[in-house]
Amino acid sequence: MTYPDTITLAKGAHKDRSDGLCLLEAVAWFAGEPHSDHPACVSPVLAAYGRSLNDALGDDSRRLLIPFISVLSRTAGDGLDEARGYLALDWIIRVYTPAWLDVAGLTREARALRDLRCISDMAAVQDARPVVLSAWDAAWAAARAAAWDAARAAAWAAAGDAAWAAAWAAAGDAAGDAAWAAAGDAAWAAAWAAAGDAARAAAWDAAGDAARDAARDAARDAARDALAPIVTQLQDSAIILLSAMIQPETTT
């Protein structure tokens, strides 16, 4: 066993401990398990989220994950994974997505998502479905109308994807799979996948155009800097989400 406060967390998986440690590899070491980023002592939902979140954060923010090492090591088989998945899904729908809709100027759609009741059960998923799909329809229309310029889209694609992917990994590992099945049909899951893929594809297409135009490169960098506070806010929120997911029964 080692002491978490002596650990420096690094991005990615590592071949052995001398090569570095990500969050889940540090948990394995703390728990006395063989070197792995899939330690047996951790809930698979928290492990999926932790691996992705570890890689989404910068070095300074990643240090904030160190206090979670010991508590993560006691979460396997505790019966809380469905609740954890719902928490991740709720964050995607009512926190992450509205933040970026606001950036796109779609404040009405952002407010509609925030006003949804907590996504904590199948009924809430059903209720959220038309609101989510309407918001994504608006986002699609805005993208087609070039409501976001290339610089803003590029900055969103580069900075915004990581936290979303982390929460989606957790939601898909637990409540996500069950929710999609209970919500009715493949269209709900497909809409999420298509919306995310389309937004990222559109953003990277725009970024590609910008990269071929030196003048737009500067604008893209400026937009990235302008979005930095939002990215930081979402990353901080994603860390708070990890804490909530560890003990979901205490979350209201």
Side-chain angles (χ1 to χ4, degrees):
M1 178 182 295
T2 190
Y3 295 97
D5 58 0
T6 67
I7 289 173
T8 298
L9 298 180
K11 183 176 181 178
H14 305 86
K15 63 181 180 180
D16 55 43
R17 286 165 184 158
S18 65
D19 189 40
L21 292 168
C22 71
L23 173 62
L24 272 298
E25 291 166 340
V27 174
W29 191 12
F30 177 82
E33 293 190 25
H35 179 72
S36 169
D37 64 355
H38 287 68
C41 61
V42 181
S43 146
V45 174
L46 289 172
Y49 185 59
R51 281 188 296 271
S52 196
L53 184 61
N54 177 89
D55 292 351
L57 299 175
D59 291 342
D60 289 341
S61 295
R62 194 178 297 114
R63 294 179 60 191
L64 300 176
L65 301 180
I66 291 174
F68 296 108
I69 291 172
S70 61
V71 290
L72 283 170
S73 69
R74 302 188 294 272
T75 57
D78 61 8
L80 299 174
D81 281 350
E82 183 175 348
R84 289 172 177 137
Y86 278 123
L87 280 174
L89 190 59
D90 182 74
W91 186 85
I92 291 168
I93 293 173
R94 298 200 303 139
V95 177
Y96 178 87
T97 302
W100 289 109
L101 290 173
D102 280 339
V103 172
L106 301 173
T107 55
R108 185 182 66 173
E109 290 77 8
R111 185 170 58 252
L113 291 181
R114 290 189 178 104
D115 287 346
L116 288 167
R117 69 184 177 96
C118 180
I119 311 299
S120 59
D121 54 32
M122 296 301 179
V125 172
Q126 290 278 21
D127 290 345
R129 175 178 177 169
V131 182
V132 172
L133 295 180
S134 177
W136 276 118
D137 283 345
W140 267 92
R144 291 194 187 99
W148 290 9
D149 60 27
R152 185 180 299 181
W156 176 87
D161 243 6
W164 182 92
W168 190 251
D173 250 28
D177 289 341
W180 303 153
D185 53 37
W188 172 231
W192 273 98
D197 288 346
R200 288 191 292 274
W204 284 118
D205 285 347
D209 291 340
R212 290 188 287 272
D213 184 338
R216 280 184 150 182
D217 281 349
R220 181 188 59 195
D221 292 342
R224 192 188 307 272
D225 291 342
L227 290 176
I230 299 171
V231 173
T232 299
Q233 175 187 333
L234 286 173
Q235 289 181 342
D236 290 345
S237 177
I239 294 171
I240 293 171
L241 174 62
L242 175 59
S243 180
M245 288 170 65
I246 290 172
Q247 291 293 333
E249 74 275 13
T250 65
T251 303
T252 58

